[in-house]
Amino acid sequence: LSGCVEQYFSSLLETVSRGFSRLQKDGMIVVNGKHIEIVDAEALDRLIHHTETQDNIVVPLLPSASMELSRC
């Protein structure tokens, strides 16, 4: 089971890292070391609430929280 927990947290860290990278690329945040600045709060709010914009449909950053440890 400890291997599953380790794998879960490793995957979670990679997912969060990709999420921050995407938010930076999309111009919603700026990351400087340990500091995160929200530069486009409206776009971030649309993303969080999964609302549509005129140009595109916002896609959730993170998978659902139902990652199963029971498969281990």
Side-chain angles (χ1 to χ4, degrees):
L1 182 62
S2 67
C4 284
V5 172
E6 182 179 323
Q7 182 180 3
Y8 171 78
F9 282 110
S10 176
S11 295
L12 183 62
L13 180 61
E14 291 172 22
T15 301
V16 170
S17 178
R18 282 192 307 271
F20 276 126
S21 294
R22 178 173 164 196
L23 289 172
Q24 285 186 97
K25 180 180 152 235
D26 291 346
M28 293 181 213
I29 65 170
V30 172
V31 177
N32 186 8
K34 294 181 180 181
H35 301 280
I36 301 169
E37 178 184 358
I38 298 172
V39 293
D40 190 345
E42 289 180 11
L44 190 56
D45 187 68
R46 285 192 304 270
L47 181 69
I48 291 168
H49 294 99
H50 308 285
T51 56
E52 294 183 0
T53 66
Q54 288 183 341
D55 300 334
N56 60 345
I57 297 175
V58 176
V59 178
L61 275 176
L62 300 175
S64 73
S66 63
M67 293 182 73
E68 298 177 25
L69 291 175
S70 61
R71 288 186 275 161
C72 297

